[in-house]
Amino acid sequence: MKKVFLLFTSLMIAFLSISCSSVPKKAAADESLVIGIVSMYFPEKVSYQGDFDTAVKGAVKNNIEVSVEDVKTKKVYTTKTNSDGFYVFKNLDSTSSYKITKVSFQKSGSYGTVERWITFSRSDPFFPLYNSVLNLGELKCVWYESGIDTQFLGNVMVKNYFTKEAADSEWLTKPLINQYQ
């Protein structure tokens, strides 16, 4: 029983250290922070109907899973967005480069859960830096009947959101680097 408890506790700590979308309070010089915002948008005239009870309309921001891959090791890291679409990756290795490879969400209905995702096979690599905050900007994915349009909306909204969320965090004193201008 003790081994099971220790294993469960260790797994929860590891999960929380990678997958939380909140800004940590403490910032060590040998840590990095990568931030961004992502949203899925379904125009009112083009709702996605997975089945009768899982239709999606409007914006989906909460609980979107964002996956990045270490370009060298191919290891995948994931995190989830908060209710505003804000996500955080903590402690990615600054000696590696990463690419966003997938964003996905689930929508539950009375007939089950529908998962929708977008994969990015040609995304630009990014390089987290120790003792810095890397702002990947805002990504909006719009689902039309004819396909998905991905739009980069810049870094300003993410910076403003981060400033508010990190008000009592040491990360606010670290350099903020915009990945894309």
Side-chain angles (χ1 to χ4, degrees):
M1 181 70 172
K2 186 176 177 181
K3 286 183 181 180
V4 171
F5 176 75
L6 288 174
L7 177 64
F8 178 74
T9 303
S10 298
L11 289 173
M12 287 304 295
I13 291 170
F15 176 76
L16 291 173
S17 69
I18 296 289
S19 65
C20 295
S21 60
S22 62
V23 177
K25 304 290 184 225
K26 299 285 184 186
D30 63 343
E31 295 177 333
S32 66
L33 202 66
V34 176
I35 61 173
I37 291 178
V38 66
S39 62
M40 307 278 188
Y41 182 73
F42 295 83
E44 290 297 321
K45 295 179 182 175
V46 191
S47 68
Y48 176 81
Q49 191 88 12
D51 61 42
F52 185 75
D53 279 347
T54 56
V56 179
K57 289 184 180 179
V60 175
K61 294 182 178 184
N62 190 32
N63 237 6
I64 296 173
E65 186 172 274
V66 181
S67 300
V68 298
E69 179 183 81
D70 184 315
V71 173
K72 285 190 244 178
T73 67
K74 303 299 183 201
K75 185 173 180 182
V76 175
Y77 299 89
T78 61
T79 192
K80 289 198 175 189
T81 62
N82 67 11
S83 61
D84 296 312
F86 182 73
Y87 63 88
V88 175
F89 283 99
K90 303 168 191 167
N91 297 322
L92 294 177
D93 184 358
S94 72
T95 63
S96 290
S97 61
Y98 298 84
K99 296 188 317 183
I100 294 178
T101 55
K102 181 179 176 182
V103 293
S104 61
F105 74 96
Q106 293 183 346
K107 173 75 173 151
S108 296
S110 61
Y111 294 112
T113 301
V114 174
E115 182 175 357
R116 292 294 163 249
W117 63 90
I118 301 170
T119 56
F120 300 96
S121 59
R122 296 183 190 162
S123 65
D124 292 334
F126 63 88
F127 305 88
L129 297 173
Y130 288 140
N131 204 32
S132 297
V133 180
L134 181 62
N135 180 353
L136 296 182
E138 182 180 2
L139 177 65
K140 181 179 179 181
C141 304
V142 184
W143 293 61
Y144 296 105
E145 289 178 8
S146 59
I148 302 166
D149 179 28
T150 56
Q151 303 169 356
F152 176 70
L153 302 177
N155 301 90
V156 175
M157 181 180 261
V158 179
K159 178 183 177 185
N160 293 341
Y161 191 88
F162 170 74
T163 302
K164 181 182 81 172
E165 288 297 305
D168 59 349
S169 170
E170 293 175 359
W171 283 104
L172 194 56
T173 65
K174 304 299 179 186
L176 180 66
I177 301 163
N178 291 328
Q179 173 68 18
Y180 309 107
Q181 300 298 330

